[in-house]
Short mmCIF file of all heavy atoms in Angstrom, two decimals:
data_model
loop_
_atom_site.label_atom_id
_atom_site.label_comp_id
_atom_site.label_asym_id
_atom_site.label_seq_id
_atom_site.Cartn_x
_atom_site.Cartn_y
_atom_site.Cartn_z
N LEU A 1 63.28 -40.62 64.89
CA LEU A 1 63.71 -40.22 63.55
C LEU A 1 64.93 -39.32 63.56
O LEU A 1 65.74 -39.36 62.63
CB LEU A 1 62.57 -39.50 62.83
CG LEU A 1 61.30 -40.33 62.59
CD1 LEU A 1 60.22 -39.47 61.95
CD2 LEU A 1 61.60 -41.54 61.70
N THR A 2 65.09 -38.51 64.63
CA THR A 2 66.17 -37.53 64.62
C THR A 2 67.16 -37.67 65.77
O THR A 2 68.25 -37.12 65.71
CB THR A 2 65.58 -36.10 64.69
OG1 THR A 2 64.98 -35.90 65.99
CG2 THR A 2 64.53 -35.89 63.60
N GLY A 3 66.75 -38.37 66.83
CA GLY A 3 67.60 -38.47 68.01
C GLY A 3 67.44 -37.31 68.96
O GLY A 3 68.10 -37.28 70.01
N ARG A 4 66.57 -36.36 68.65
CA ARG A 4 66.37 -35.20 69.52
C ARG A 4 65.30 -35.48 70.57
O ARG A 4 64.32 -36.17 70.30
CB ARG A 4 65.95 -33.97 68.70
CG ARG A 4 67.01 -33.46 67.72
CD ARG A 4 66.61 -32.09 67.19
NE ARG A 4 65.37 -32.15 66.44
CZ ARG A 4 65.29 -32.31 65.12
NH1 ARG A 4 66.41 -32.42 64.41
NH2 ARG A 4 64.12 -32.34 64.51
N GLY A 5 65.49 -34.93 71.78
CA GLY A 5 64.50 -35.06 72.83
C GLY A 5 64.61 -36.36 73.60
O GLY A 5 65.66 -37.01 73.61
N ASP A 6 63.51 -36.74 74.25
CA ASP A 6 63.46 -37.94 75.08
C ASP A 6 62.97 -39.13 74.30
O ASP A 6 62.20 -39.01 73.34
CB ASP A 6 62.53 -37.72 76.28
CG ASP A 6 63.04 -36.62 77.21
OD1 ASP A 6 64.28 -36.52 77.35
OD2 ASP A 6 62.21 -35.89 77.76
N MET A 7 63.40 -40.32 74.72
CA MET A 7 62.98 -41.54 74.03
C MET A 7 61.48 -41.79 74.18
O MET A 7 60.80 -42.13 73.21
CB MET A 7 63.75 -42.75 74.57
CG MET A 7 63.29 -44.08 73.98
SD MET A 7 64.08 -45.52 74.74
CE MET A 7 65.72 -45.41 74.06
N MET A 8 60.95 -41.64 75.40
CA MET A 8 59.56 -42.00 75.65
C MET A 8 58.65 -40.81 75.41
O MET A 8 59.01 -39.66 75.67
CB MET A 8 59.39 -42.51 77.08
CG MET A 8 60.31 -43.67 77.43
SD MET A 8 60.18 -45.06 76.27
CE MET A 8 58.49 -45.57 76.55
N ARG A 9 57.45 -41.07 74.92
CA ARG A 9 56.46 -40.03 74.68
C ARG A 9 55.99 -39.44 76.00
O ARG A 9 55.58 -40.14 76.91
CB ARG A 9 55.26 -40.61 73.91
CG ARG A 9 55.56 -40.97 72.49
CD ARG A 9 54.42 -41.71 71.85
NE ARG A 9 53.14 -41.01 72.02
CZ ARG A 9 51.98 -41.47 71.56
NH1 ARG A 9 51.94 -42.63 70.92
NH2 ARG A 9 50.88 -40.78 71.73
N GLN A 10 56.03 -38.12 76.11
CA GLN A 10 55.65 -37.46 77.36
C GLN A 10 54.15 -37.55 77.62
O GLN A 10 53.71 -37.55 78.75
CB GLN A 10 56.08 -35.99 77.33
CG GLN A 10 57.60 -35.82 77.40
CD GLN A 10 58.20 -36.48 78.62
OE1 GLN A 10 57.80 -36.19 79.74
NE2 GLN A 10 59.14 -37.39 78.41
N ASP A 11 53.33 -37.61 76.54
CA ASP A 11 51.88 -37.69 76.79
C ASP A 11 51.50 -39.01 77.42
O ASP A 11 50.50 -39.13 78.11
CB ASP A 11 51.07 -37.46 75.51
CG ASP A 11 51.44 -38.40 74.38
OD1 ASP A 11 52.39 -39.19 74.55
OD2 ASP A 11 50.79 -38.34 73.32
N ASP A 12 52.33 -40.07 77.22
CA ASP A 12 52.06 -41.34 77.89
C ASP A 12 52.20 -41.18 79.40
O ASP A 12 51.54 -41.85 80.18
CB ASP A 12 53.05 -42.41 77.42
CG ASP A 12 52.65 -42.99 76.09
OD1 ASP A 12 51.54 -42.68 75.63
OD2 ASP A 12 53.45 -43.75 75.51
N ILE A 13 53.10 -40.27 79.81
CA ILE A 13 53.33 -40.06 81.23
C ILE A 13 52.28 -39.12 81.82
O ILE A 13 51.75 -39.33 82.89
CB ILE A 13 54.74 -39.48 81.46
CG1 ILE A 13 55.79 -40.51 81.07
CG2 ILE A 13 54.93 -39.04 82.91
CD1 ILE A 13 57.21 -39.99 81.11
N GLN A 14 51.92 -38.05 81.05
CA GLN A 14 51.13 -36.98 81.63
C GLN A 14 49.62 -37.18 81.51
O GLN A 14 48.86 -36.69 82.33
CB GLN A 14 51.52 -35.65 80.95
CG GLN A 14 52.96 -35.28 81.23
CD GLN A 14 53.42 -34.12 80.37
OE1 GLN A 14 52.70 -33.65 79.51
NE2 GLN A 14 54.63 -33.65 80.61
N LEU A 15 49.14 -37.91 80.46
CA LEU A 15 47.71 -37.95 80.18
C LEU A 15 47.04 -39.28 80.48
O LEU A 15 45.83 -39.39 80.42
CB LEU A 15 47.47 -37.60 78.70
CG LEU A 15 47.96 -36.22 78.26
CD1 LEU A 15 47.68 -36.02 76.78
CD2 LEU A 15 47.31 -35.12 79.07
N ALA A 16 47.81 -40.29 80.78
CA ALA A 16 47.22 -41.62 80.85
C ALA A 16 46.58 -41.89 82.21
O ALA A 16 47.03 -41.41 83.23
CB ALA A 16 48.30 -42.67 80.60
N ASP A 17 45.46 -42.65 82.17
CA ASP A 17 44.93 -43.22 83.39
C ASP A 17 45.77 -44.44 83.72
O ASP A 17 46.10 -45.22 82.84
CB ASP A 17 43.48 -43.65 83.19
CG ASP A 17 42.58 -42.45 82.97
OD1 ASP A 17 42.94 -41.36 83.44
OD2 ASP A 17 41.53 -42.62 82.32
N VAL A 18 46.13 -44.63 84.98
CA VAL A 18 47.07 -45.68 85.33
C VAL A 18 46.46 -46.63 86.33
O VAL A 18 45.52 -46.31 87.04
CB VAL A 18 48.38 -45.10 85.94
CG1 VAL A 18 49.02 -44.13 84.98
CG2 VAL A 18 48.10 -44.41 87.26
N LYS A 19 47.02 -47.82 86.35
CA LYS A 19 46.68 -48.77 87.40
C LYS A 19 47.92 -49.60 87.71
O LYS A 19 48.81 -49.74 86.88
CB LYS A 19 45.54 -49.70 86.95
CG LYS A 19 45.95 -50.73 85.91
CD LYS A 19 44.84 -51.74 85.68
CE LYS A 19 45.28 -52.84 84.72
NZ LYS A 19 44.25 -53.86 84.54
N VAL A 20 47.99 -50.10 88.92
CA VAL A 20 49.08 -51.01 89.27
C VAL A 20 48.73 -52.37 88.70
O VAL A 20 47.76 -53.00 89.12
CB VAL A 20 49.27 -51.09 90.80
CG1 VAL A 20 50.37 -52.07 91.14
CG2 VAL A 20 49.60 -49.72 91.37
N SER A 21 49.49 -52.79 87.68
CA SER A 21 49.16 -54.04 87.02
C SER A 21 49.77 -55.24 87.73
O SER A 21 49.22 -56.33 87.68
CB SER A 21 49.62 -54.01 85.56
OG SER A 21 51.00 -53.69 85.48
N HIS A 22 50.92 -55.04 88.38
CA HIS A 22 51.55 -56.13 89.12
C HIS A 22 52.22 -55.57 90.36
O HIS A 22 52.82 -54.49 90.33
CB HIS A 22 52.60 -56.85 88.26
CG HIS A 22 52.02 -57.61 87.12
ND1 HIS A 22 51.87 -57.05 85.87
CD2 HIS A 22 51.52 -58.87 87.05
CE1 HIS A 22 51.32 -57.94 85.06
NE2 HIS A 22 51.10 -59.05 85.74
N ASP A 23 52.13 -56.29 91.43
CA ASP A 23 52.79 -55.94 92.68
C ASP A 23 53.70 -57.09 93.03
O ASP A 23 53.25 -58.18 93.40
CB ASP A 23 51.73 -55.71 93.77
CG ASP A 23 52.33 -55.12 95.05
OD1 ASP A 23 53.56 -55.00 95.12
OD2 ASP A 23 51.55 -54.79 95.96
N PHE A 24 55.02 -56.90 92.88
CA PHE A 24 55.98 -57.98 93.07
C PHE A 24 56.55 -57.91 94.48
O PHE A 24 57.67 -57.46 94.70
CB PHE A 24 57.10 -57.86 92.03
CG PHE A 24 56.59 -57.77 90.62
CD1 PHE A 24 56.60 -56.56 89.94
CD2 PHE A 24 56.09 -58.88 89.97
CE1 PHE A 24 56.13 -56.47 88.64
CE2 PHE A 24 55.62 -58.79 88.67
CZ PHE A 24 55.64 -57.58 88.01
N ARG A 25 55.77 -58.34 95.44
CA ARG A 25 56.17 -58.16 96.83
C ARG A 25 56.80 -59.42 97.42
O ARG A 25 56.61 -60.54 96.94
CB ARG A 25 54.98 -57.72 97.68
CG ARG A 25 53.88 -58.73 97.84
CD ARG A 25 52.76 -58.16 98.70
NE ARG A 25 52.22 -56.93 98.15
CZ ARG A 25 52.30 -55.77 98.78
NH1 ARG A 25 52.87 -55.67 99.97
NH2 ARG A 25 51.80 -54.68 98.24
N LEU A 26 57.59 -59.18 98.47
CA LEU A 26 58.22 -60.25 99.23
C LEU A 26 57.48 -60.43 100.55
O LEU A 26 56.73 -59.55 100.98
CB LEU A 26 59.69 -59.92 99.49
CG LEU A 26 60.55 -59.62 98.25
CD1 LEU A 26 61.92 -59.14 98.69
CD2 LEU A 26 60.65 -60.85 97.37
N ARG A 27 57.72 -61.54 101.21
CA ARG A 27 57.05 -61.80 102.49
C ARG A 27 57.43 -60.77 103.54
O ARG A 27 56.66 -60.48 104.46
CB ARG A 27 57.41 -63.20 102.99
CG ARG A 27 56.83 -64.33 102.13
CD ARG A 27 57.24 -65.69 102.67
NE ARG A 27 56.72 -66.77 101.85
CZ ARG A 27 56.98 -68.06 102.06
NH1 ARG A 27 57.76 -68.41 103.09
NH2 ARG A 27 56.48 -68.99 101.27
N THR A 28 58.63 -60.22 103.41
CA THR A 28 59.11 -59.27 104.42
C THR A 28 58.70 -57.83 104.12
O THR A 28 58.99 -56.93 104.92
CB THR A 28 60.64 -59.33 104.51
OG1 THR A 28 61.20 -59.13 103.20
CG2 THR A 28 61.10 -60.69 105.05
N ASP A 29 58.05 -57.59 103.00
CA ASP A 29 57.67 -56.23 102.63
C ASP A 29 56.60 -55.69 103.57
O ASP A 29 55.60 -56.36 103.85
CB ASP A 29 57.15 -56.17 101.19
CG ASP A 29 58.27 -56.25 100.17
OD1 ASP A 29 59.40 -55.90 100.51
OD2 ASP A 29 57.99 -56.67 99.03
N MET A 30 56.80 -54.46 104.01
CA MET A 30 55.82 -53.76 104.83
C MET A 30 55.18 -52.65 104.00
O MET A 30 55.88 -51.84 103.40
CB MET A 30 56.48 -53.15 106.07
CG MET A 30 57.17 -54.19 106.96
SD MET A 30 56.01 -55.36 107.71
CE MET A 30 55.14 -54.27 108.83
N ASP A 31 53.85 -52.64 103.92
CA ASP A 31 53.16 -51.64 103.11
C ASP A 31 53.34 -50.24 103.69
O ASP A 31 53.41 -50.05 104.90
CB ASP A 31 51.66 -51.94 103.04
CG ASP A 31 51.37 -53.17 102.21
OD1 ASP A 31 52.30 -53.66 101.54
OD2 ASP A 31 50.22 -53.64 102.22
N VAL A 32 53.41 -49.26 102.79
CA VAL A 32 53.40 -47.85 103.15
C VAL A 32 52.08 -47.28 102.67
O VAL A 32 51.67 -47.52 101.54
CB VAL A 32 54.58 -47.10 102.50
CG1 VAL A 32 54.52 -45.61 102.82
CG2 VAL A 32 55.91 -47.70 102.96
N ASP A 33 51.39 -46.52 103.53
CA ASP A 33 50.06 -46.02 103.19
C ASP A 33 50.04 -45.34 101.84
O ASP A 33 49.20 -45.63 100.98
CB ASP A 33 49.56 -45.05 104.27
CG ASP A 33 49.20 -45.78 105.56
OD1 ASP A 33 49.02 -47.01 105.50
OD2 ASP A 33 49.13 -45.13 106.61
N ILE A 34 50.93 -44.38 101.63
CA ILE A 34 51.05 -43.73 100.33
C ILE A 34 52.46 -43.17 100.21
O ILE A 34 53.04 -42.69 101.18
CB ILE A 34 49.99 -42.63 100.13
CG1 ILE A 34 49.93 -42.19 98.67
CG2 ILE A 34 50.25 -41.45 101.05
CD1 ILE A 34 48.69 -41.41 98.31
N GLN A 35 53.03 -43.29 99.02
CA GLN A 35 54.37 -42.79 98.75
C GLN A 35 54.33 -41.87 97.53
O GLN A 35 53.52 -42.06 96.63
CB GLN A 35 55.33 -43.94 98.42
CG GLN A 35 55.45 -45.00 99.50
CD GLN A 35 56.32 -46.15 99.04
OE1 GLN A 35 57.54 -46.03 98.93
NE2 GLN A 35 55.69 -47.28 98.77
N ARG A 36 55.20 -40.87 97.53
CA ARG A 36 55.39 -40.01 96.36
C ARG A 36 56.68 -40.47 95.70
O ARG A 36 57.78 -40.07 96.09
CB ARG A 36 55.45 -38.54 96.76
CG ARG A 36 55.31 -37.58 95.59
CD ARG A 36 55.03 -36.16 96.09
NE ARG A 36 54.71 -35.28 94.99
CZ ARG A 36 55.56 -34.38 94.49
NH1 ARG A 36 56.76 -34.25 95.02
NH2 ARG A 36 55.20 -33.61 93.48
N ILE A 37 56.55 -41.32 94.69
CA ILE A 37 57.69 -42.00 94.10
C ILE A 37 58.15 -41.24 92.86
O ILE A 37 57.35 -41.01 91.94
CB ILE A 37 57.33 -43.44 93.74
CG1 ILE A 37 56.84 -44.19 94.99
CG2 ILE A 37 58.52 -44.16 93.11
CD1 ILE A 37 56.15 -45.49 94.70
N PRO A 38 59.42 -40.81 92.79
CA PRO A 38 59.90 -40.07 91.62
C PRO A 38 60.04 -40.97 90.40
O PRO A 38 60.52 -42.10 90.49
CB PRO A 38 61.27 -39.55 92.08
CG PRO A 38 61.70 -40.50 93.16
CD PRO A 38 60.45 -40.96 93.84
N LEU A 39 59.59 -40.47 89.26
CA LEU A 39 59.72 -41.15 87.98
C LEU A 39 60.87 -40.51 87.22
O LEU A 39 60.83 -39.31 86.92
CB LEU A 39 58.42 -41.05 87.18
CG LEU A 39 58.46 -41.60 85.74
CD1 LEU A 39 58.72 -43.10 85.73
CD2 LEU A 39 57.15 -41.28 85.03
N TYR A 40 61.91 -41.30 86.90
CA TYR A 40 63.10 -40.78 86.23
C TYR A 40 63.16 -41.22 84.78
O TYR A 40 62.67 -42.30 84.42
CB TYR A 40 64.37 -41.27 86.95
CG TYR A 40 64.50 -40.81 88.37
CD1 TYR A 40 64.27 -41.68 89.43
CD2 TYR A 40 64.85 -39.49 88.66
CE1 TYR A 40 64.39 -41.26 90.75
CE2 TYR A 40 64.98 -39.06 89.98
CZ TYR A 40 64.75 -39.94 91.02
OH TYR A 40 64.86 -39.53 92.32
N GLU A 41 63.79 -40.40 83.96
CA GLU A 41 64.11 -40.76 82.59
C GLU A 41 65.58 -41.12 82.54
O GLU A 41 66.44 -40.30 82.88
CB GLU A 41 63.83 -39.58 81.65
CG GLU A 41 64.13 -39.87 80.19
CD GLU A 41 63.19 -40.88 79.58
OE1 GLU A 41 62.01 -40.88 79.96
OE2 GLU A 41 63.63 -41.66 78.72
N ILE A 42 65.90 -42.34 82.14
CA ILE A 42 67.29 -42.76 82.07
C ILE A 42 67.58 -43.30 80.69
O ILE A 42 66.69 -43.81 80.00
CB ILE A 42 67.64 -43.82 83.13
CG1 ILE A 42 66.76 -45.07 82.97
CG2 ILE A 42 67.50 -43.24 84.53
CD1 ILE A 42 67.14 -46.18 83.94
#
C-alpha cells in the first residue's frame, strides 16, 4: 500500500514450519550432510 519496508511478510520467514517440497538435483550432485544456507531479500 505504501512502498515502505520489505516486499515479503517477515512472519512467513520467521514463524512457518517448513519442508523441502522439491529437490532439483543433477546426477553429479554430491549431498552435504547439513548446510547453513543464507536467505537473502532481493
Side-chain angles (χ1 to χ4, degrees):
L1 298 176
T2 68
R4 295 192 297 266
D6 297 324
M7 175 186 287
M8 305 306 296
R9 290 172 52 181
Q10 291 303 304
D11 56 356
D12 280 351
I13 294 174
Q14 296 170 355
L15 300 179
D17 293 335
V18 303
K19 72 171 184 177
V20 178
S21 55
H22 292 92
D23 189 354
F24 307 105
R25 66 180 58 243
L26 304 173
R27 292 179 181 177
T28 54
D29 284 336
M30 301 295 292
D31 290 349
V32 177
D33 288 342
I34 193 164
Q35 302 175 72
R36 194 166 188 256
I37 302 166
L39 174 64
Y40 298 105
E41 180 68 34
I42 59 176

